[in-house]
Amino acid sequence: MTDERESALLESVPNQLFIGGEWVDAAGGATLDVRDPSTGLVIRSIADASVDDGARALDAAVAAQDAWAATPPRTRSDILRRAFDLVQERKEDLALLMTLEMGKPLAESRGEVVYGGEFLRWFSEEAVRIAGRYGLNPEGTGRMIVSQRPVGPSFFITPWNFPFAMATRKIAPALAAGCTVVIKPAELTPLTTLYFASILAEAGLPAGVVNVLTTSSSGSVSGPIIADPRLKKLSFTGSTEVGRKLIAQAAEGVLRVSMELGGNAPFVIFEDADLDKAVDGAMLAKFRNIGQACTAANRFIVHEAVAEEFAARVAERVSSMRVGRGTEEGVQIGPLINEGAVDKASELVDDAVDRGASVLAGGSRIEGEGTFYEPTVLSGVVPGSQILREEIFGPVLAIATFADEDEAVRLANDTEYGLVSYVFTRDLQRGHRMIDRLETGMMGLNVGVVSNAAAPFGGVKQSGIGREGGLEGIHEYLSTKYTLIPVD
Ligand code: NAP
Ligand code: MG
């Protein structure tokens, strides 16, 4: 049940589309319901955009593009910085809102507000440092000027698992670069983006620079936007399966794309690892966000000499984790996003157990209100198990073993994904070898979380294209222009 503070907050969240600086109903007045996954109850009814609304949103972004690109970088920077400050003021509201629509424990939602907010601060700083270069050509006959121009109107599609950070990680660099935006959050968690749009407006963002479309028809509303020649950029975070389709659609107009897709992170523990650190790192890398993170450790690949001790120690920690509604003090594991996610976790655990894995903790869905699955530890997971191939996206820690470094590398790289890897070893040389040998865009060496606004986030292989954050992030929204002027 929602208490008074929750009701007041939910009432305050805009429930319309944000187009051209106005809050407007969907054409035809359609609405969709947003639910709390810990209770299954409807918490807010909001506008359900149609294809026509999509066209209106893109019109608004296109109309605002030239003026926004011509806005002084310092002004763009100041708006982002004000948005950052407002996010700090509204931190508790944003956190509660995310917990209500997505389910994660409040402490983790607060963490996401900090992480997501940092993109606003980081890119407010980057907006005024967009540099080019100037030089003579080698022949001495020409002056070469290389400058950076905003790509233009950009379309963002974001997932439900990090409703705030996935929005800011795209919007902040786009605004810093001088691009306007249409964003379509996931149907399951649209409220955070609507609330954030109201913060951007309050921070002084001109009308039309950011437009928000909430819809229950993601495919049909997105298709025409992606096909429109006025759109210059598509950035997507979500599953590899949908990303692949979007790349194909974007190919038609040779649209620039950034893709942050699925992961299947290996978490490799060598026999010389500091096991205390490895256990702490494992708890974070696995159970943060109830296991529903693209960076979640998916396969624990542990040296056979320490596997039993590691398994026993994590099982002890996991057995005492508190499961419940994310708003309750001390809860560490909230609900999974929906029934389908619980079915998937059950299926993967059952398959692993059928093939011989042992259940050291948890292992079952939790019956009753909401969509909960017990935090679980499986040891002795055999090669070929489904759980080693697929993204678990749930609170299940699966342990397999290896005998030597080459086998660890082979197992870790045995996936089409390449987002992040985690390695625990005290051997510095081995650590460096693993940086070179593991096929992932990011690595945590003796640490279980790598995300930071100052770092280039992204994957190789089928985990994606492009980087978000860091010095690299703004370049996803800039195109390079080279000019030659003869020396007279
Ligand atoms: P998803 O089904 O791919 O959905 C992601 C977004 O795409 C949602 O907004 C969804 O809208 C939309 N969408 C779905 N089908 C579409 C279509 N045909 N055309 C246009 N848009 C479409 O992914 P998910 O299950 O929600 O999210 C989990 C996945 O995201 C995992 O694979 C995870 O690894 C990945 N992820 C990756 C990163 C990263 O940075 N690499 C970060 C977070 C999550 P609706 O849901 O409203 O249909
Ligand atoms: Mg989906």
Side-chain angles (χ1 to χ4, degrees), residues 254-283:
V254 196
L255 199 56
R256 270 185 72 178
V257 296
S258 299
M259 293 280 145
E260 299 285 356
L261 308 177
N264 181 359
F267 191 108
V268 182
I269 304 175
F270 284 99
E271 65 277 23
D272 64 359
D274 178 332
L275 268 199
D276 291 334
K277 289 203 174 115
V279 169
D280 288 345
M283 295 302 292

Side-chain angles (χ1 to χ4, degrees), residues 87-209:
V87 164
Q88 309 315 306
E89 280 172 30
R90 312 280 157 77
K91 182 176 167 188
E92 284 304 310
D93 281 354
L94 268 166
L96 177 58
L97 189 56
M98 264 193 282
T99 291
L100 292 176
E101 68 174 344
M102 184 275 171
K104 71 182 78 185
L106 209 40
E108 292 192 16
S109 292
R110 291 187 183 113
E112 183 175 343
V113 177
V114 172
Y115 171 58
E118 285 301 334
F119 289 97
L120 300 167
R121 177 153 67 173
W122 177 263
F123 286 107
S124 79
E125 292 156 350
E126 291 297 280
V128 291
R129 315 219 190 293
I130 300 170
R133 60 180 205 269
Y134 171 87
L136 266 189
N137 66 0
E139 296 75 17
T141 57
R143 304 178 204 279
M144 308 172 81
I145 300 171
V146 179
S147 57
Q148 300 293 334
R149 300 289 310 147
V151 170
S154 302
F155 182 39
F156 299 155
I157 301 176
T158 53
W160 50 263
N161 58 348
F162 291 98
F164 182 60
M166 297 305 98
T168 58
R169 208 162 77 175
K170 296 184 194 303
I171 290 175
L175 298 188
C179 298
T180 60
V181 169
V182 175
I183 179 167
K184 189 212 77 63
E187 177 187 359
L188 295 170
T189 58
L191 302 181
T192 303
T193 304
L194 291 170
Y195 188 91
F196 178 53
S198 71
I199 287 181
L200 287 172
E202 198 177 329
L205 193 71
V209 175

Side-chain angles (χ1 to χ4, degrees), residues 157-161 166 169 184-187 218-219 222 236-239 242 246 260-263 294 391 393 419 457:
I157 301 176
T158 53
W160 50 263
N161 58 348
M166 297 305 98
R169 208 162 77 175
K184 189 212 77 63
E187 177 187 359
S218 51
S222 301
F236 170 74
T237 295
S239 61
V242 172
L246 294 173
E260 299 285 356
L261 308 177
C294 51
E391 245 189 319
F393 247 58
L419 189 60
F457 187 103

